[in-house]
Amino acid sequence: MQHLILLSLVLPLLGGLLMLLPPFNASRVRQRNFALVLSGAALLISALLLQQAQQGVIGVYALGDWAAPFGIVLVADRLSTLMLMLTSVLAFCSLLYTFGPRDEDGSFFQPLLQFQILGINGAFMTGDLFNLFVFFEILLIASYGLLMFGGGKTRTRAGLHYVILNLAGSAVFLFALGVMYGTLGTLNIADLAFKVQQVDPSEASLVRAGGLMLLIVFGLKAAMLPLQFWLPAAYAASTPAVAALFAIMTKVGIYAILRVFTVIFGDAAGPLSHIAGGWLWPLGLMTILIGAIGVLASQDLRRLTANLIIVSVGTLLAVIALERESATAAALYYLLHSTLISAGLFLLADLIARQRGKVGDRLVPGRGLGQNRLLGALFFIAAIAVIGMPPLSGFVGKALMLSAAKSVAEMSWLWPLVLGSSLVALITLSRAGSTLFWKQSGKPSEILRANPVQLLAVVLLLSMPLLLSVFGGPVTQMMAATAQQLHDVQGQIGSVLQPVTQLVEVK
């Protein structure tokens, strides 16, 4: 079971490399089938690791048996395995969608997708900040290729903005790591959490500066205001399968913020505790507001979905800024919901665009859809989930987040913006639905029907909000246990900083 931690990274790495070699590189079909097998195996590995982590066990894998903090460690706790499982589900559905006729025909598409998955999985599993930087670079390099896959002026422009911003972010990340290592002598997350508690007062300001530089980097990855403007163009320009997988990309930044500013700069950090909270709260609220304005201004379904992601990011950041276990648990539940429903909406937008002809997914009257009722029903389910209406998980997630606000000041700011963004989503999605499915000016083409496998991928993703709602009790308990383990800083330090590689049960 312990080697499954490493296998979650080795599988996409070797899979991506093998696809570049004969006999896989000679056949797109062979690459695609192999990628789906790899994705199924990754789902199984993620499920096993998640099951183990939910028993209260933190899995620590030291590469080369070099114990932390001197060696590279991978950590499989409740939070990292939860994110690993989420990535595996998204990757499986995205790969399913590539089984239809679309843009994903190049020989490098499937290998790049595997390297992207490698970078995302590594970012979730790593136990030190330097390897977090390494995995960030892996996923970013792969995403550069995937974003501009298929060419075209729009994709090239969006890709160029994305590349430049993330190169700048990588430079800031390196500066932050230099500051942290120069002052504390380590980059292992558990060791940093231990040493921050004992930092010399003369060096505290340097550590604070390093921590805030990390917040800038993670805020860029998460699309936090004022670093969010790259996201709508980049996501809207991507091919459907890539956009669906990219739904997890902002959550990598959210995860990094949770991990670093709860474990290293959390309650036990003394004068450096909660250094991010004062920034996350106003920036999160403002991100909700700017995202809602973007939603109102969106002129096509893909860009509308991308702006809804910005709203969800702002909501998550504002709730995380409350810095208590109940808020973290609520944010984790909503993170699952928003990621899955955003990915499903990107794929659904492509199915709708193909059946509407030249107008695509633009929110203007166009040709009737060949499967108007089916796609309309799927859109209705997605809209209900995004808005946050019962009985789907959007309602549960927003109710949990609103209840996490305890003081009058917190409720006075969070409640109007979260409820107001839901109202904006209701208005814009109602307008979009009526335009797409009712204001039809041409005869539908019976030839253009959704590929059954692609339709299955959309149905799988859009069924997740219902499952999260039906199994709301066990899922919310899981999120509460995950939040409790994340906030137990001393337990994490004791689990990771062991003399030998082993599994330690955190009581």
Side-chain angles (χ1 to χ4, degrees):
M1 287 293 290
Q2 190 178 3
H3 292 289
L4 289 178
I5 300 172
L6 183 62
L7 193 58
S8 65
L9 306 184
V10 171
L11 203 64
L13 173 62
L14 292 182
L17 292 174
L18 286 174
M19 286 181 200
L20 296 172
L21 303 173
F24 296 107
N25 65 341
S27 169
R28 309 290 182 271
V29 174
R30 201 173 288 147
Q31 279 188 339
R32 200 167 52 186
N33 293 339
F34 183 51
L36 193 62
V37 171
L38 289 174
S39 185
L43 263 176
L44 178 61
I45 292 168
S46 302
L48 291 172
L49 287 172
L50 182 63
Q51 182 185 26
Q52 177 180 284
Q54 295 310 313
Q55 297 171 4
V57 173
I58 295 181
V60 181
Y61 190 97
L63 276 72
D65 208 26
W66 286 88
F70 308 107
I72 297 171
V73 294
L74 303 174
V75 179
D77 60 3
R78 293 180 189 268
L79 179 58
S80 61
T81 54
L82 177 69
M83 299 303 292
L84 190 70
M85 187 69 195
L86 179 60
T87 305
S88 298
V89 171
L90 275 188
F92 183 79
C93 293
S94 299
L95 285 166
L96 264 185
Y97 198 83
T98 65
F99 277 71
R102 200 52 184 168
D103 305 320
E104 301 86 357
D105 294 328
S107 60
F108 296 108
F109 180 81
Q110 295 293 348
L112 282 172
L113 213 57
Q114 292 301 313
F115 295 139
Q116 173 89 354
I117 294 167
L118 165 66
I120 295 171
N121 288 352
F124 292 144
M125 301 300 288
T126 186
D128 68 271
L129 290 181
F130 184 77
N131 284 290
L132 180 62
F133 168 78
V134 171
F135 286 118
F136 268 20
E137 293 309 298
I138 292 172
L139 71 89
L140 287 172
I141 290 170
S143 67
Y144 299 155
L146 289 170
L147 178 58
M148 290 188 276
F149 204 88
K153 234 193 301 188
T154 305
R155 283 178 184 165
T156 303
R157 187 187 301 113
L160 184 62
H161 293 165
Y162 179 75
V163 168
I164 291 172
L165 279 170
N166 279 285
L167 285 176
S170 297
V172 176
F173 202 165
L174 280 176
F175 288 139
L177 294 181
V179 170
M180 298 290 282
Y181 189 78
T183 52
L184 298 173
T186 184
L187 290 176
N188 180 279
I189 293 174
D191 201 31
L192 282 169
F194 177 72
K195 290 190 174 180
V196 160
Q197 299 172 20
Q198 306 170 351
V199 68
D200 189 284
S202 63
E203 295 185 329
S205 58
L206 274 176
V207 178
R208 180 185 295 272
L212 292 177
M213 279 194 284
L214 289 176
L215 180 62
I216 293 172
V217 176
F218 301 153
L220 172 62
K221 310 302 181 190
M224 177 179 71
L225 189 82
L227 304 170
Q228 88 298 338
F229 52 86
W230 60 269
L231 188 147
Y235 281 34
S238 304
T239 60
V242 172
L245 185 59
F246 275 18
I248 193 73
M249 292 277 281
T250 54
K251 307 312 184 293
V252 175
I254 298 287
Y255 168 87
I257 289 172
L258 263 175
R259 178 71 70 183
V260 169
F261 294 100
T262 302
V263 177
I264 300 176
F265 298 106
D267 294 330
L272 293 173
S273 62
H274 308 304
I275 62 171
W279 295 95
L280 286 177
W281 177 249
L283 290 175
L285 295 174
M286 291 169 66
T287 303
I288 299 174
L289 181 61
I290 202 70
I293 294 171
V295 168
L296 284 170
S298 298
Q299 297 181 354
D300 59 76
L301 190 53
R302 288 187 184 92
R303 195 171 289 267
L304 172 59
T305 305
N307 282 301
L308 285 170
I309 289 178
I310 293 177
V311 172
S312 70
V313 165
T315 306
L316 287 168
L317 290 172
V319 174
I320 290 169
L322 298 177
E323 296 176 327
R324 59 179 71 103
E325 282 185 24
S326 60
T328 302
L332 289 175
Y333 185 96
Y334 186 71
L335 184 150
L336 293 180
H337 156 82
S338 61
T339 305
L340 293 166
I341 200 65
S342 300
L345 260 176
F346 276 123
L347 298 184
L348 180 60
D350 182 63
L351 292 182
I352 293 170
R354 269 192 261 168
Q355 297 192 15
R356 295 186 82 221
K358 289 183 179 180
V359 297
D361 67 332
R362 282 182 291 150
L363 302 178
V364 294
R367 186 175 68 190
L369 281 72
Q371 297 170 293
N372 196 61
R373 291 184 180 180
L374 175 60
L375 297 182
L378 291 174
F379 181 84
F380 179 75
I381 292 169
I384 291 296
V386 169
I387 293 164
M389 295 178 67
L392 301 183
S393 57
F395 172 78
V396 178
K398 290 186 178 182
L400 289 172
M401 290 189 295
L402 293 176
S403 65
K406 302 298 184 184
S407 69
V408 174
E410 291 171 353
M411 289 188 284
S412 299
W413 285 104
L414 187 64
W415 282 47
L417 282 168
V418 170
L419 296 176
S421 65
S422 296
L423 178 61
V424 167
L426 173 63
I427 294 169
T428 52
L429 289 170
S430 299
R431 183 182 62 190
S434 62
T435 302
L436 294 171
F437 301 102
W438 287 350
K439 297 179 182 178
Q440 298 174 348
S441 57
K443 196 173 182 180
S445 172
E446 294 298 329
I447 302 173
L448 294 174
R449 301 180 72 82
N451 182 285
V453 180
Q454 292 184 319
L455 198 57
L456 174 62
V458 176
V459 170
L460 284 175
L461 286 171
L462 296 186
S463 65
M464 295 299 172
L466 180 60
L467 293 176
L468 286 173
S469 181
V470 170
F471 298 100
V475 173
T476 51
Q477 289 174 8
M478 183 190 299
M479 298 305 106
T482 303
Q484 183 180 23
Q485 188 182 69
L486 181 66
H487 284 263
D488 181 15
V489 177
Q490 299 305 324
Q492 293 198 47
I493 293 173
S495 299
V496 176
L497 299 182
Q498 297 295 322
V500 294
T501 302
Q502 57 184 327
L503 295 178
V504 179
E505 186 170 358
V506 179
K507 301 296 185 183

